[in-house]
């Protein structure tokens, strides 16, 4: 099945305790599509300025990523974000945001894009997410991501789009912020009550919790000795998760769980280097090998 | 195999967003021994004042807990701790500490206690932990817990006892504090280099990470809709973990992992009610049932 992702392609300036990467490739749709393309064909819908070079676009080449929807605006600049991480690499402090071409981003999907089976509405204005969703023709799975900014500034719009999708990918602080409920499981149930079937809660270095009406699945993150740059881990996770899911004939609990692991595997690679540098170099064989390492990491037997 | 635990029996005043429990039973050795006694015989070594009544001691009755080492000091009061949890029930703020009888606690083990196969040095002064350890005769497993206070005030003593034990149960903030290393895996390797074979890192609501020279095992915590009082979760975990381990003929990686799960299961019960109220009422059948629920929670299959 094919995937549609609508989100940002960006340049980032990332500062970590290990140094600064100036003007490196970033953006939710970038991380998502590269990760998802390990498993499925991806239609990328985003916008860049004319400062986005062929060399920048090379990240998408040789992968199953359809760039028909990557709009280029002449005389304008690509979305720019600067972030800085402290000692524990935990939360990024935003140092600069320049929306540039992204300020007027209003995607108009092509016929082909509208027929995508799996739709991922990356972290953009929830009204825009709804606008994109309305253009789609009977997708099998619609998923979205969001952020604290939209919870604070557009809660009603967010509630509308929460009610219209199948799957919400969200971090745990956002669950608490949206519901004002400290207990994560209770908060998750409140959000699921709006209509989505599945809530996938990202917990950073602690892994992922997937909650449906019938089941809970929890997986720790892969423990890494070298975490270099957490930027894009969440979007990479979503890409691996939905990319794998789109490659499955069905979407039962077994396949959802495998998808969570593949998402976690890809995210664990992303953080090992700046930007998409690690994602750029890994092979599907390395992805599969780390999937098996996740099995070893988490496996325990029944008692006797 | 029999277990020796040396630690505190205490009265706690616990304040959570759900209310305050005045003078409820607490203490590291209390939680530990009740949890461990689900699997093995426990020799409890601790001290109480004459305010510790028969009714208080009832928690130990009908369990495999040997109270020979529970010293009573006439005319003195039991160790008292008051703690308060906020909205997220995450970290307790200490409101009051009255050492009372605990100030002069200097255990002198009996012949029988010295021959215990498994020794747990609960969170007490590291010099006292060393003193107890020196009294023991060839225990098969020696484990310890500690806290930020000893890392800050008695680091050299702590390093000596870290080097003398097989197994260190510690929380992740303490690993970072002791090593001044933000990466948890690297920090764990530094501590293991001192001599212990196994580091068990408690991550509160995020579960447990067990690191040995050859393997890493990670397990999330059981997601609960009702977390009432986190007090004692860590000591309960240690009790379930070592209690199960002491009941095993060997201690290979398979059994260590099962032990981590049993510890996690027992801790997940502890937090459901104030003090030891939940631990007091559960049966081994409920423990086993939740072990199986942990399997369901974390299980995923290989990809095809």
């Amino acid at each position: 099945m094919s995937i549609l992702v609508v989100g940002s392609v960006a340049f980032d300036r990332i500062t970590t305790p290990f140094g600064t990467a100036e003007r490196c490739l970033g953006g939710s749709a970038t991380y998502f599509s590269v990760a998802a393309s390990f498993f499925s064909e991806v239609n990328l819908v985003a916008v860049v300025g004319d400062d986005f070079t062929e060399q920048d676009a090379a990240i998408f080449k040789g992968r199953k990523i359809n760039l028909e929807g990557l709009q280029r605006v002449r005389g304008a600049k690509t979305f720019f974000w600067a972030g800085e991480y402290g000692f524990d690499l935990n939360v990024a402090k935003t140092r600069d945001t320049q929306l540039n071409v992204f300020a007027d981003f209003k995607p108009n999907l092509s016929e082909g894009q509208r027929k995508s089976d799996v739709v991922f509405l990356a972290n953009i204005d929830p009204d825009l997410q709804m606008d994109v969703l309305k253009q789609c023709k009977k997708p099998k799975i619609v998923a979205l991501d969001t952020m604290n900014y939209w919870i604070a500034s557009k809660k009603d719009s967010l509630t509308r789009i929460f009610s219209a999708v199948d799957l919400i990918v969200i971090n745990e602080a956002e669950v608490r912020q949206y519901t004002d409920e400290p207990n994560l499981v209770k908060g998750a149930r409140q959000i699921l009550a709006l209509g989505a079937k599945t809530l996938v809660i990202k917990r950073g270095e602690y892994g992922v919790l997937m909650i449906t009406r019938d089941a809970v699945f929890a997986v720790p993150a892969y423990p890494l000795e070298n975490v270099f740059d957490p930027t894009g881990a969440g979007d990479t996770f979503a890409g691996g998760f939905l990319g794998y899911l789109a490659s499955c004939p069905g979407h039962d609990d077994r396949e959802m769980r495998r998808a969570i692991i593949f998402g976690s595997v890809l995210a664990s690679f992303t953080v090992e280097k700046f930007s998409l540098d690690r994602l750029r170099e890994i092979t599907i064989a390395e992805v599969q090998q780390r999937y098996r390492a996740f099995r070893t990491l988490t496996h325990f037997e029944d008692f006797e």
Side-chain angles (χ1 to χ4, degrees), chain A residues 17 38 45 68 80 83 115 172 220 226-227 261 264 274-275 278:
Chain A
F38 277 88
V45 172
E68 184 202 333
F80 175 80
K115 288 177 186 158
E172 60 177 341
N226 291 296
V227 178
I261 302 300
S264 304
F274 268 127
S275 180
R278 187 77 178 106

Side-chain angles (χ1 to χ4, degrees), chain A residues 10-300:
Chain A
F11 292 127
D12 291 344
R13 183 176 67 234
I14 310 286
T15 302
T16 75
F18 314 111
T20 295
E22 299 279 355
R23 194 197 177 280
C24 59
L25 200 56
S28 58
T30 315
Y31 284 102
F32 180 94
S33 58
V34 171
S37 71
F38 277 88
F39 307 103
S40 298
E41 196 168 307
V42 184
N43 295 304
L44 169 67
V45 172
V47 62
V48 291
D50 53 13
D51 54 349
F52 195 83
T53 66
E54 279 308 303
Q55 206 186 325
D56 294 320
I59 185 80
F60 302 119
K61 301 295 162 62
R63 304 181 189 272
K64 295 183 280 187
I65 301 176
N66 183 338
L67 296 179
E68 184 202 333
L70 182 63
Q71 192 192 335
R72 280 163 189 273
V73 180
R74 288 227 173 158
K77 289 172 79 180
T78 300
F79 177 45
F80 175 80
W81 177 77
E84 187 171 341
Y85 298 89
F87 177 71
D88 65 354
L89 292 175
N90 212 341
V91 183
K93 281 186 185 150
T94 293
R95 294 303 183 201
D96 193 5
T97 304
Q98 297 170 23
L99 287 178
N100 299 329
V101 292
F102 208 61
D104 303 313
F105 182 48
K106 198 159 190 340
N108 188 4
L109 304 184
S110 71
E111 261 324 288
Q113 288 157 2
R114 285 166 201 248
K115 288 177 186 158
S116 301
D117 302 296
V118 175
V119 175
F120 183 64
L121 308 164
N123 168 28
I124 53 176
D125 185 325
D127 291 328
L128 208 55
Q129 291 178 319
M130 186 62 93
D131 183 65
V132 170
L133 180 54
K134 282 181 176 161
Q135 297 177 49
C136 294
K137 294 182 175 171
K138 298 188 183 169
K140 292 192 176 68
I141 303 174
V142 179
L144 69 72
D145 187 14
T146 191
M147 71 184 293
N148 50 7
Y149 178 77
W150 305 119
I151 298 173
S153 64
K154 286 208 163 187
K155 191 162 179 185
D156 290 348
S157 298
L158 200 57
T159 301
R160 276 193 292 278
I161 190 76
F162 275 0
S163 314
V165 302
D166 304 295
L167 210 149
I168 298 168
V169 181
I170 192 168
N171 74 44
E172 60 177 341
E174 290 157 5
V175 173
R176 294 194 167 107
Q177 186 190 354
Y178 180 83
T179 61
D180 200 26
E181 163 61 57
N183 183 283
L184 200 60
V185 183
K186 280 186 185 164
R189 302 250 175 258
Q190 284 181 30
I191 295 177
L192 284 176
L194 298 173
K197 285 191 286 288
T198 307
L199 204 65
V200 176
I201 304 173
K202 297 174 288 181
R203 314 172 98 182
E205 62 170 318
Y206 300 111
V208 174
L209 198 61
M210 176 170 67
I211 303 191
T212 65
R213 292 206 173 71
D214 319 312
V216 179
F217 175 55
V219 66
Y222 193 75
L224 293 166
E225 288 205 40
N226 291 296
V227 178
F228 207 76
D229 171 17
T231 310
D235 296 307
T236 304
F237 166 80
F241 173 62
L242 288 172
Y244 177 75
L245 219 50
S247 77
C248 296
H251 303 121
D252 62 16
D253 186 55
R254 271 191 324 171
E255 279 162 341
M256 296 288 278
R257 288 175 181 231
R258 285 187 184 123
I260 293 283
I261 302 300
F262 274 117
S264 304
V265 164
L266 281 158
S268 78
F269 282 116
T270 288
V271 303
E272 289 182 333
K273 290 193 176 178
F274 268 127
S275 180
L276 290 97
D277 290 358
R278 187 77 178 106
L279 219 47
R280 197 187 287 267
E281 67 191 11
I282 55 167
T283 62
I284 186 69
E286 283 170 276
V287 170
Q288 291 174 338
Q289 190 180 16
R290 191 166 285 180
Y291 184 105
R292 297 217 157 95
F294 252 97
R295 295 255 299 162
T296 307
L297 171 72
T298 60
H299 178 74
F300 61 95

